[in-house]
Amino acid sequence: MTHASVVQVPDSVILITLLVKLGVAAAVSSSLARSTAFKRLLLLPHRRRRQTLKLLAMICVPLTLGVWVRIRVPNFYAADISFETTILLGLLLGPIPAMLGGAALALPAMSHGEYWTLPVNLLVAAIMGTFGRFTNPEDVWSFSPMIDLSLYRWVTRNLRKPQLDRQILLLVLITVMQFGTSMLSGKYPRKLFVLHTHYWLVELAICACAPVVVGIPLKIWNAIHMERKLEEQSRLLMEARLDALQRQINPHFLFNTLNSIASLVRSQPELAREMIVKLANILRVLLKHREAFVPFSEELAFTDDYLDIEVVRFGEKLRVVKEIAEETLPVVVPSMLLQPLIENSIKHGLEPRIGGGTVTLRSRLLSDGRLLLEVEDDGIGMEAEPVSELTASASESVRAAVGNGGGNGPGGIGMRNVRERMEVLYGSQAEVEIVSRPGRGTKVTLVMPVLEAGAAPWAQFGEALQATWADVARAITRE
């Protein structure tokens, strides 16, 4: 490998350079992560051209200076991480911005006579930009620089169920491109700067270092990504609780419930006592600090109290059927997930119907290991237009299958909040399906990954969300 002449870089210098490159990648990405403007631009779902150019400049300017430092300072090869930066730009910004950034990174090298740098950067940007366009963003964000762990996960996962893993494909793609550019540099040492050696173990280290350098910024910036998701989840959970307080703990709800209790005090005092206890349970759960995720058994107990009160209020007009698989009870689910769906079924599906109807709750584990929850009623159904409004802002993974014809209007905020929370929490792994036919009822199906009770990451979510909710509650109280 040469700098400006055909002078072989010692293997010991190459190994030291690889270690320093990891530090350079971590230092630059950490510095950028401290910038509020960078975080805002990085996490925008859709950027205007000006915003894309600004984000491109924030990444490329310091790293273009690194290429210039590599040219000017003898043996300081680690300052040049333009190859890995071009890969990052392709994955995060797409092919066109990545090609523009790759061209900017190539300017100092081309001024030094390394003319192969520009076409190589453009090719890498086009390949990785195309890959990023056809890959789920969550696969990119979760790309791990810990190569051994990625391979272990891939082997264990494919032993159970063979499938294409895009993270492993990305790992292989980066490694192959690094090897190709290294071989090209060995053939044209004055025209392209890439670390290269004839000793295969060191060459293997060079190829293995590239995905790690790419993965380090992704891991650091993914923390920002997760923080934003946490904030979004906090907002949605707040809306769910405020909406529950507004729709359930209101004079109309309390009047009907207390009136039902009053009518039972003399004729059926034990039933009246049970209703008071269940009403107290509902008020206690809604007013206390509650974790963002709870075992499905707890969520089911909360909905049972709500349903028991509604059954007493509506009498024989309301029937409840539960088809709950025993193995689903310890699975962790978002709190207050089912109650808005059940309320929509009763209020908009069964209450307008003279003869009432049945609400059916189902849960089971699917063959792919995910949890399926269903809330179905045989009420008057929903119109196609209201159902489409509920799913208008959903991602591709959150789909709606809508039947024909009219019916009632949907529950609005409650249903939309459930859908948004599923999308924020689980991304492409979640599915929300609404099937409704006029006069035949509505079925809402939720599919989500399985989390065992007590999972540490979700405990952290819950603690943070509890703190946020406490601040909001105090602000509301002051007002």
Side-chain angles (χ1 to χ4, degrees):
M1 173 65 220
T2 67
H3 182 39
S5 58
V6 191
V7 177
Q8 184 73 27
V9 178
D11 291 341
S12 58
V13 175
I14 291 178
L15 294 175
I16 294 173
T17 298
L18 295 179
L19 291 175
V20 178
K21 282 180 74 171
L22 303 181
V24 170
V28 174
S29 52
S30 297
S31 299
L32 289 172
R34 294 189 183 97
S35 167
T36 303
F38 175 80
K39 291 190 286 188
R40 180 178 59 82
L41 292 172
L42 179 67
L43 298 177
L44 283 176
H46 304 287
R47 303 181 193 90
R48 295 191 296 271
R49 182 178 302 175
R50 185 174 180 180
Q51 292 171 325
T52 301
L53 291 176
K54 186 176 180 180
L55 180 60
L56 194 64
M58 295 179 76
I59 297 174
C60 288
V61 167
L63 296 172
T64 302
L65 291 175
V67 180
W68 181 82
V69 168
R70 186 263 302 173
I71 293 171
R72 294 295 180 183
V73 180
N75 294 327
F76 195 50
Y77 307 116
D80 186 349
I81 55 172
S82 56
F83 171 77
E84 294 86 353
T85 303
T86 305
I87 292 175
L88 272 175
L89 294 175
L91 293 173
L92 299 177
L93 303 182
I96 302 301
M99 293 174 76
L100 184 60
L105 291 166
L107 290 177
M110 292 184 65
S111 68
H112 194 60
E114 298 166 355
Y115 300 114
W116 274 101
T117 306
L118 179 60
V120 167
N121 283 6
L122 294 179
L123 180 61
V124 169
I127 293 173
M128 300 314 299
T130 304
F131 180 89
R133 285 286 175 88
F134 292 97
T135 302
N136 189 312
E138 293 301 323
D139 289 336
V140 174
W141 284 117
S142 58
F143 178 71
S144 175
M146 307 304 293
I147 298 176
D148 55 338
L149 296 180
S150 297
L151 290 174
Y152 173 76
R153 284 198 304 266
W154 180 78
V155 171
T156 54
R157 189 186 307 121
N158 279 271
L159 284 176
R160 295 192 301 265
K161 185 178 180 181
Q163 58 184 347
L164 177 64
D165 191 318
R166 288 183 174 83
Q167 290 198 21
I168 294 298
L169 181 59
L170 176 58
L171 174 65
V172 172
L173 192 57
I174 296 173
T175 304
V176 169
M177 288 194 301
Q178 174 64 60
F179 181 74
T181 54
S182 181
M183 293 299 102
L184 187 63
S185 175
K187 189 172 183 180
Y188 302 101
R190 290 191 178 92
K191 305 298 183 184
L192 177 67
F193 171 79
V194 178
L195 292 174
H196 172 70
T197 180
H198 297 293
Y199 184 37
W200 70 272
L201 277 177
V202 178
E203 186 65 40
L204 182 63
I206 294 172
C207 295
C209 182
V212 178
V213 174
V214 172
I216 287 174
L218 286 176
K219 279 297 179 185
I220 293 174
W221 297 342
N222 188 43
I224 305 172
H225 175 62
M226 294 302 296
E227 181 182 354
R228 181 62 57 86
K229 289 182 69 174
L230 173 61
E231 292 172 356
E232 183 67 11
Q233 165 63 5
S234 175
R235 180 186 66 82
L236 293 172
L237 183 60
M238 259 189 325
E239 286 183 3
R241 285 173 171 169
L242 289 172
D243 184 55
L245 289 170
Q246 179 182 358
R247 289 183 291 111
Q248 295 168 14
I249 310 177
N250 57 55
H252 185 261
F253 174 79
L254 290 175
F255 173 79
N256 289 336
T257 303
L258 293 174
N259 192 44
S260 299
I261 294 172
S263 66
L264 296 171
V265 167
R266 292 189 177 180
S267 60
Q268 294 177 280
E270 283 301 318
L271 183 57
R273 179 181 176 279
E274 288 181 14
M275 284 192 66
I276 293 173
V277 171
K278 293 181 185 300
L279 178 60
N281 290 339
I282 290 176
L283 296 175
R284 186 181 302 110
V285 169
L286 291 175
L287 292 173
K288 77 174 184 178
H289 299 321
R290 199 175 187 213
E291 290 188 357
F293 291 82
V294 296
F296 181 57
S297 57
E298 291 186 17
E299 181 69 9
L300 203 58
F302 172 70
T303 59
D304 285 345
D305 287 334
Y306 174 78
L307 278 170
D308 289 343
I309 289 178
E310 296 289 23
V311 166
V312 173
R313 285 180 55 201
F314 286 92
E316 295 181 355
K317 290 179 62 177
L318 176 60
R319 295 172 295 279
V320 179
V321 177
K322 298 176 186 175
E323 301 173 4
I324 307 297
E326 190 74 23
E327 63 270 18
T328 63
L329 295 178
V331 176
V332 172
V333 299
S335 62
M336 300 188 67
L337 186 68
L338 294 180
Q339 190 278 333
L341 306 181
I342 296 171
E343 182 180 4
N344 281 348
S345 293
I346 296 174
K347 183 177 180 180
H348 300 289
L350 302 182
E351 190 172 351
R353 187 176 179 181
I354 297 176
T358 303
V359 174
T360 304
L361 305 181
R362 300 186 185 92
S363 72
R364 68 176 186 272
L365 295 179
L366 301 177
S367 58
D368 61 1
R370 292 187 297 170
L371 173 67
L372 179 141
L373 304 177
E374 286 183 348
V375 178
E376 183 176 7
D377 66 76
D378 56 1
I380 65 174
M382 286 193 293
E383 296 177 358
E385 183 178 351
V387 175
S388 64
E389 289 176 359
L390 287 176
T391 57
S393 62
S395 67
E396 293 179 359
S397 62
V398 182
R399 51 194 171 83
V402 185
N404 298 322
N408 63 296
I413 296 174
M415 181 62 228
R416 189 172 292 110
N417 185 280
V418 169
R419 177 189 54 73
E420 290 180 359
R421 289 175 67 198
M422 290 280 289
E423 185 176 354
V424 168
L425 286 171
Y426 301 116
S428 61
Q429 294 181 295
E431 294 180 15
V432 178
E433 183 179 36
I434 306 172
V435 180
S436 186
R437 294 185 178 89
R440 299 180 61 181
T442 301
K443 180 170 71 173
V444 179
T445 303
L446 309 178
V447 180
M448 65 200 78
V450 169
L451 299 171
E452 295 300 328
W458 303 116
Q460 296 174 5
F461 268 87
E463 292 172 3
L465 293 175
Q466 286 181 47
T468 304
W469 174 247
D471 294 340
V472 173
R474 283 193 294 269
I476 294 174
T477 305
R478 285 196 298 268
E479 293 178 1

